[in-house]
Amino acid sequence: MTMPLTLFHTGDVHIAPFSRLFAELAPEVPLRHEVRADLLQEAQDRGGLTAEIRRRAMEALLRAAETGAPVVLCTCSTIGPAAEDADAASEATILRVDRPMAERAVASGRRIVIAACVPTTIAPTRELLLSAAAAAGEDPELREFLVPDAWPHFVRGDQEAYWKAIAAALPGAVGDADVMVLAQASMAGAVALCEGISIPVLSSPRLGVEAAVASYRAAVG
């Protein structure tokens, strides 16, 4: 029996959009979803990914891999660093959804805007971009742009209002930037609503799923 690819979420709301992406890109890949909303909530309550939360997230990701999953995809950017900790300690492949986006951003230009709706996501995304840039021999100029008014819509479950609020705010972040990254996977739906933005606006879900599918196919043959 082929073991499923495990998606590790920090909210139930991510199950449906990621399931749709897999159905589009790799319908043959069996999926298993695990949700740990408490990890993101604690990170937000404490102002970021503390060492203790990062350790517990890593342990949870390792347990997800120990169920037999050849690939685990962490869909939360805030706890993304824990996914890379877990990957280093596991025989399975444990991926963070936003690394392919970061690599694409670094290849797209030096001046990169990090757009986020919750401040706890900014630091992990900044660290990830610097890591991707170092691997590519680049020296990026990173800027941060927070869209705090959008997040209450997401909390209420109104995704359309959430994406519209993000799309309305993003033109004010462009300046002379070369590329913009959306730090949270939940922001991806705003890309289609953006108007008048002349630079690439990158989101993580599709690129992350493509990487996970490639790793899964390589693992199962």
Side-chain angles (χ1 to χ4, degrees):
M1 176 179 173
T2 303
M3 296 303 297
L5 184 153
T6 294
L7 290 98
F8 191 93
H9 310 289
T10 52
D12 290 320
V13 69
H14 299 301
I15 294 175
F18 275 95
S19 294
R20 285 194 294 269
L21 266 177
F22 273 94
E24 174 191 345
L25 298 173
E28 79 283 2
V29 175
L31 302 178
R32 173 180 174 270
H33 298 273
E34 183 168 336
V35 179
R36 285 291 305 272
D38 58 303
L39 294 169
L40 178 59
Q41 187 60 59
E42 287 185 41
Q44 291 174 342
D45 291 344
R46 299 188 189 185
L49 185 66
T50 66
E52 189 266 338
I53 298 170
R54 182 168 174 167
R55 176 188 58 77
R56 288 197 292 111
M58 179 189 73
E59 291 172 349
L61 285 156
L62 287 172
R63 285 194 297 273
E66 288 167 359
T67 62
V71 176
V72 177
L73 177 64
C74 175
T75 66
C76 176
S77 297
T78 296
I79 66 166
E84 296 193 317
D85 295 342
D87 183 60
S90 176
E91 293 184 3
T93 298
I94 302 177
L95 305 172
R96 59 184 294 175
V97 72
D98 48 358
R99 180 165 284 279
M101 177 186 70
E103 293 169 347
R104 177 74 60 86
V106 167
S108 299
R110 179 172 179 273
R111 294 166 297 190
I112 303 172
V113 174
I114 303 169
C117 294
V118 291
T120 55
T121 312
I122 290 176
T125 305
R126 170 178 282 274
E127 292 170 6
L128 175 61
L129 285 163
L130 291 174
S131 170
E138 301 291 345
D139 180 24
E141 177 188 319
L142 304 181
R143 308 171 191 175
E144 301 168 2
F145 184 78
L146 189 64
V147 192
D149 293 341
W151 190 244
H153 297 300
F154 182 83
V155 173
R156 288 194 299 270
D158 190 345
Q159 289 194 324
E160 289 297 325
Y162 175 59
W163 292 330
K164 287 178 181 178
I166 296 166
L170 292 184
V174 174
D176 63 350
D178 298 309
V179 61
M180 181 184 301
V181 299
L182 304 184
Q184 295 155 245
S186 63
M187 300 170 73
V191 175
L193 304 177
C194 290
E195 297 181 357
I197 296 181
S198 58
I199 63 173
V201 179
L202 305 180
S203 62
S204 61
R206 179 173 291 270
L207 294 172
V209 167
E210 289 173 349
V213 168
S215 293
Y216 183 87
R217 287 173 174 164
V220 303

